[in-house]
Amino acid sequence: MRKTLKELPRNTKARVVDVAPGHAISVRLVELGFMAGEWVEVVHEAPLSRDPIVVECAGTRIALRRSEASLILVDDSPECSGVQS
Amino acid sequence: MSGSEKVLVALVGHPNCGKTALFNALTGLRQKVANYPGVTVERVESDLRSDLGHPLRVLDLPGAYSLNPQSEDEKITHDVLLGGMGTDVRPGVLIVVLDATNLRLHLPIALEVRELGYPICVALNMIDLAEAAGMQLNVKALEEALGCRVIPTSATRKDGLVPLVEAAAKLASSEFDASKIQWAPSTREQIILRRKSVEDILRRTVVVPGHPSLFTTRVDRFLLHPFLGPLALLAIVFLVFQAVFTLGAIPTDWIDGVISNFASWTRSQLSSGMLSDLLVDGIISGVGAVLVFLPQILILFASLLILEDSGYMARAAFLMDRIMGRVGLSGRSVLPLVSGFACAIPAIIGSRSIQSPAQRLATILITPVTTCSARLPVYTLLIAAFIPNTVVAGLFGLQGFVLTLLYILGAVSAFVFAGLLKAFNLTGAGGYFLLELPTYRLPSMRTVLRGLLDRARAFIVRAGTLILSIMVLLWAMSTFPRPPEGATQPSINYSLAGKLGNIVAPLLEPIGFNWKISVAMIPGFAAREVLVSALGTVYAVESENSEDTSALTEKLKADWSLPTALSLLAWYVFAPQCLATFAVMQREIRSLRWTLLSFTVLLVVAWLAAFITYQVAGRFL
């Protein structure tokens, strides 16, 4: 199912579909490896508010707020997440 | 500069590629620290170690993920590489430093700078860690794919330095004109294209991929745990401040002893008179008052450097981001604000790593309120003189309690100020937080040592130049003009300082400051800690008997009421009494409006805080 990275539950693998353009960090997110087809997983959530989150993507751990995570569209359909990277 | 004929070799790479450790391995511990034209950002540049055999200069550029600058320090790298920094900072060769354990993330910048046309070679850094992780790579194939030399290096083991220097030296003879570079920001398509060719290159060159660092994953499970993580953070902060105050006290006492011995020795060698007064009361005690807290500053900086180099600081930023975000800051504000407890100046400069301009401005504006170590001598003096050393609740001393309270007041005020800036939307919107959490590493002692040497040098230079000249000036101001023949009042009353103090005294009278405090306050605007030595000068000069050896503490006790002392403490929590801070602030944010506003607001708040303290204390104590 398609959703933004903001809504992706912890410890669930998903594939990046797209990064919304236009935000100050859109380009930087792509540079850090958020590209279509790349595997991502939320590996940590901050205490209490569960925001920001730590996302593992292309072998890199990136901390970002959920508001920025909402720029990243992902797909966690079973046929996607069933395949191990 | 003498080295200007030498070709400048710039190290380019991501923030976590081990670039600085490599720089240190290439250059040894001597270096020239200058600033980039127009900005206070440190320009770390040095001759290559002579035993490496080539007359090259090496420049350590601020870490950057790409040439699309996202923060002020990335903009430096961008400007240098595109020739925008003038002929003085124009590299002829680039060494692109890559973290061999994460080539997918690091390789794109190599492709990007190659596109600029620079002669480049690649340092495949941290190769020891990559090999330990089981990675096998065909270096020859990677050289073919990139079209340049690729040298596996390990800064910690000093592997690969000689071939790296050979490769750079060979490139140094090639003609390259940085002023002719054509550049436009990469489009998303170009970035994706670069990443795709990186995938392609990796397919052809990586024989066996390394397994990801299990150590980091395991440690993070504990340090980023929802409950244990914050506890660990608190424990680390507690340990750092314990080290600053308990460990730091040992060399502090020692330095203090040396200085007072030196002062009395100097006095015994000279006949009493003006020269002796200038040397002992003006210079030795003035500069000495500043040098005594060098150990504490260095311990704090050493802790921060270790925490940063190990990779923990990014985790602290992650854990703190929510709280910081509430008041319009970001997790990235944590490091600058904590270093503000040592000194606001490196803290303000350190804020350049904050990507969002709004968050960076807010961080810089609140930094002057964090309890920098220059306040410590003032606090210590007043607390020792006025707060009884009784034990409260059978647990802690009242003196320590008051000191802690002052630190907390500083931190809380910083948050309140940030909150106000956010509430009135003064610094603008657009805050975000995005930070790579690097793999945990053993901190490089060389990097830490070098960072410390820089700070110690900067601090001693400051004590030896700025503060020294202020002390001489103050001494002259409080000595001249000499009292007329047959004067009845203390001689300082006739001096320039006495007159100035008397002019501002009416303004400070409602907050309980006498004219002597007002006099000492004037040089105190140059640097807070000067107040202590200035009070020493004012009170020593005033007593006609030069053999009067009773400590300053005793004199203050006799001269001030408790409300005055408390009021001065409150004043010092807020007062913008460090002009250097505001000079740096102005250079960093380039807005005279904000700098002046910040100065004025802090001055008014300091007066109000002192006024309230004085009035309330006068009522109830």
Side-chain angles (χ1 to χ4, degrees), chain B residues 446-529:
Chain B
R446 192 182 264 269
T447 306
V448 171
L449 192 67
R450 184 157 201 167
L452 272 187
L453 276 178
D454 283 349
R455 265 131 190 151
R457 183 166 38 204
F459 187 79
I460 290 168
V461 165
R462 198 163 93 94
T465 53
L466 176 72
I467 295 171
L468 177 71
S469 33
I470 292 163
M471 294 327 296
V472 175
L473 185 72
L474 172 73
W475 177 84
M477 276 173 71
S478 44
T479 307
F480 302 105
R482 306 290 287 171
E485 287 292 317
T488 50
Q489 290 176 325
S491 57
I492 193 170
N493 267 15
Y494 301 93
S495 71
L496 190 60
K499 288 184 182 115
L500 267 175
N502 284 318
I503 291 170
V504 290
L507 283 173
L508 300 179
E509 201 234 296
I511 58 175
F513 294 2
N514 62 25
W515 67 269
K516 281 176 219 151
I517 304 180
S518 316
V519 171
M521 197 79 88
I522 291 164
F525 270 97
R528 289 183 181 87
E529 63 272 22

Side-chain angles (χ1 to χ4, degrees), chain B residues 346-357:
Chain B
I348 287 174
I349 296 170
S351 304
R352 63 182 187 244
S353 65
I354 301 171
Q355 301 135 316
S356 141

Side-chain angles (χ1 to χ4, degrees), chain B residues 205-242:
Chain B
T205 56
V206 176
V207 186
V208 182
H211 48 80
S213 164
L214 279 177
F215 178 75
T216 296
T217 313
R218 284 197 194 124
V219 173
D220 271 346
R221 222 171 274 158
F222 167 64
L223 288 179
L224 299 183
H225 188 274
F227 304 111
L228 299 176
L231 281 181
L233 177 62
L234 271 179
I236 289 169
V237 171
F238 178 77
L239 275 179
V240 168
F241 279 93
Q242 275 294 304

Side-chain angles (χ1 to χ4, degrees), chain B residues 242-262:
Chain B
Q242 275 294 304
V244 168
F245 289 114
T246 53
L247 271 180
I250 302 163
T252 301
D253 291 345
W254 185 74
I255 295 177
D256 209 16
V258 169
I259 289 165
S260 56
N261 282 340
F262 182 58

